[in-house]
Amino acid sequence: MKRKYMLFKIIKWTALVILALIVTFFLVRAIGKAIYTKTPDGGINQSMYIDVNGTKQWINIYGEDIDDPVLLYLHGGPGSATSDIDYAFTRKWADVYTVVTWDQRNCGKSYDAQQDGTVLTRELFMADGKEVTEFILDYLSKDKITVLGHSWGSIYGANLVLEFPEYYECFIGTGQLVDYLENEETFRQEAISWAEGDGETLKLIDQLTPGNVTMEHISARNTIMQKYGYDMMVNGSDYNLITTIIFNPNYSIIDWIDYFKRNMGVYLDFLASEEFASFSLKDRFDYQVPFYNINGDKDYQTNYKLAQEYFEKVNAPYKQMFLMENMTHGLLESDSEGFSGIIHQIAKIEREINSSL
């Protein structure tokens, strides 16, 4: 009888401790969310779903001064929305820009299982980007905006700026992608030079199929980058990713459940398609707006050497390249402070350019 009583007490106190931890977690999360959902005096902090090309897509608008220039941030992937963590680094630019983050079609908070059968095309993405831009211009009463794209977002943003220059003040590309097929073949050649006869790596290289990207190709590429110290997050993060996720002001528990339920198959099909390849920037060098690049000098996911070669050929009213030392593809998270410093430099340059017009 005594043994049963002791067992009951252990179970009871264990349950109470677990309950206390759960209550503490949600209390701390509520306090954190309350802090991050505050609107700065004279600024803006809004999240909403907008109608985009027959779908509902999610955006967040955050800035410390509503009169500041507007910057649209395009996440990478394609299909790799960063709304789970991006407020932590994009808000570091919010004293010079009103920043709009957008979960692109059928990913992140814009995910809709009913769209899983939609065939993704260049035409569809260009129409989406144009409509989102037009919404921002109208909603925030601006004549033009800046676009900043990372990885897939960089080649997507460059295409938007090339096709609709009247909407944009300047283009900022980071982890700049120029041509996906050339990028993957160049990675293969880089990997061969790293291997130096290493049989294990050479077996992985045999799994690389630059002309036909599959999950096997992506897995082999990521394994090779990790082995040689070039993977995306090799430098970690200069902010706490766990607390960033816990305090995320835009995600409910339901949002997190939906986040892990999403189907990425439609994006893998797009990645391997001619439609994706058609975003290539090869032989497209003439920009009507200032062109900026911020790249890591150890980025082989989107090869920084190809980005530099492209930059040298770009014709633009103004252009500048920023190369971040010892940074791979995860420069936004690994050195968000250094990246923010560059964004502030660009904002200052843009103010000087605009004041001279």
Side-chain angles (χ1 to χ4, degrees):
M1 192 72 178
K2 188 176 181 180
R3 186 178 297 173
K4 287 184 178 179
Y5 177 71
M6 289 299 296
L7 181 62
F8 172 77
K9 283 187 68 175
I10 292 171
I11 294 173
K12 176 185 173 182
W13 282 106
T14 301
L16 287 172
V17 169
I18 292 172
L19 180 61
L21 289 173
I22 292 173
V23 170
T24 301
F25 171 83
F26 281 103
L27 180 62
V28 170
R29 172 175 159 79
I31 294 171
K33 285 191 70 173
I35 293 171
Y36 287 112
T37 52
K38 287 183 65 176
T39 300
D41 292 338
I44 185 171
N45 184 10
Q46 295 181 1
S47 293
M48 66 188 80
Y49 282 89
I50 62 175
D51 294 317
V52 182
N53 205 7
T55 65
K56 294 289 186 181
Q57 297 185 27
W58 181 87
I59 65 169
N60 175 261
I61 307 172
Y62 186 91
E64 296 180 10
D65 186 340
I66 196 66
D67 293 325
D68 278 342
V70 174
L71 181 150
L72 171 62
Y73 168 67
L74 302 178
H75 65 70
S80 299
T82 54
S83 53
D84 54 333
I85 60 168
D86 59 25
Y87 76 94
F89 57 81
T90 59
R91 289 190 179 188
K92 293 179 180 180
W93 322 328
D95 58 333
V96 287
Y97 285 108
T98 294
V99 181
V100 181
T101 55
W102 164 37
D103 281 4
Q104 297 160 31
R105 170 180 292 268
N106 207 25
C107 67
K109 286 174 67 74
S110 296
Y111 178 70
D112 180 357
Q114 294 182 355
Q115 295 181 48
D116 285 348
T118 302
V119 177
L120 301 178
T121 64
R122 183 180 187 279
E123 181 181 5
L124 198 61
F125 274 108
M126 295 301 287
D128 282 3
K130 182 173 184 286
E131 288 194 22
V132 170
T133 298
E134 289 173 341
F135 174 86
I136 295 167
L137 291 170
D138 179 66
Y139 191 78
L140 296 175
S141 301
K142 300 293 183 181
D143 295 323
K144 294 185 177 185
I145 64 173
T146 289
V147 61
L148 186 162
H150 175 240
S151 194
W152 144 252
S154 70
I155 199 169
Y156 183 20
N159 273 265
L160 288 172
V161 169
L162 286 165
E163 192 151 333
F164 310 112
E166 66 274 17
Y167 289 153
Y168 303 105
E169 291 181 312
C170 73
F171 169 73
I172 307 171
T174 183
Q176 182 66 53
L177 180 60
V178 177
D179 179 272
Y180 189 59
L181 296 177
E182 183 179 14
N183 187 77
E184 297 308 293
E185 177 55 37
T186 301
F187 175 80
R188 183 176 174 277
Q189 296 302 322
E190 294 278 8
I192 291 171
S193 69
W194 300 337
E196 295 183 342
D198 182 332
E200 182 182 340
T201 302
L202 291 173
K203 287 180 181 178
L204 288 168
I205 291 171
D206 286 341
Q207 297 173 33
L208 297 175
T209 51
N212 179 30
V213 175
T214 62
M215 283 305 300
E216 184 180 44
H217 168 93
I218 294 170
S219 177
R221 183 193 65 189
N222 290 346
T223 301
I224 293 169
M225 282 195 294
Q226 186 173 22
K227 180 175 181 177
Y228 291 95
Y230 298 117
D231 58 300
M232 182 168 177
M233 296 304 295
V234 68
N235 296 316
S237 171
D238 66 354
Y239 58 89
N240 192 300
L241 290 173
I242 294 175
T243 56
T244 297
I245 290 170
I246 292 172
F247 295 150
N248 190 314
N250 303 311
Y251 269 64
S252 66
I253 299 300
I254 293 175
D255 286 327
W256 280 115
I257 292 171
D258 289 341
Y259 181 88
F260 290 105
K261 285 167 56 179
R262 69 197 193 281
N263 180 355
M264 294 298 291
V266 64
Y267 271 101
L268 185 59
D269 291 341
F270 175 61
L271 193 64
S273 71
E274 291 184 6
E275 291 292 331
F276 181 68
S278 70
F279 279 88
S280 173
L281 299 176
K282 291 179 73 172
D283 302 322
R284 302 170 66 197
F285 306 116
D286 297 324
Y287 290 79
Q288 296 182 40
V289 302
F291 182 99
Y292 301 91
N293 259 190
I294 310 170
N295 297 307
D297 66 355
K298 291 186 176 180
D299 188 349
Y300 292 99
Q301 188 161 328
T302 50
N303 193 295
Y304 80 95
K305 298 174 185 176
L306 296 179
Q308 286 180 311
E309 290 172 8
Y310 179 76
F311 177 84
E312 293 302 322
K313 297 176 182 178
V314 163
N315 299 311
Y318 179 88
K319 66 178 185 178
Q320 188 163 346
M321 168 72 80
F322 299 87
L323 201 61
M324 297 181 68
E325 292 185 5
N326 298 315
M327 284 294 114
T328 62
H329 201 57
L331 70 179
L332 282 164
E333 294 86 8
S334 295
D335 190 6
S336 63
E337 291 292 341
F339 190 92
S340 176
I342 295 173
I343 294 299
H344 282 72
Q345 289 183 55
I346 292 172
K348 181 180 179 182
I349 293 168
E350 283 297 298
R351 285 197 303 270
E352 293 171 351
I353 290 174
N354 291 328
S355 65
S356 67
L357 296 178

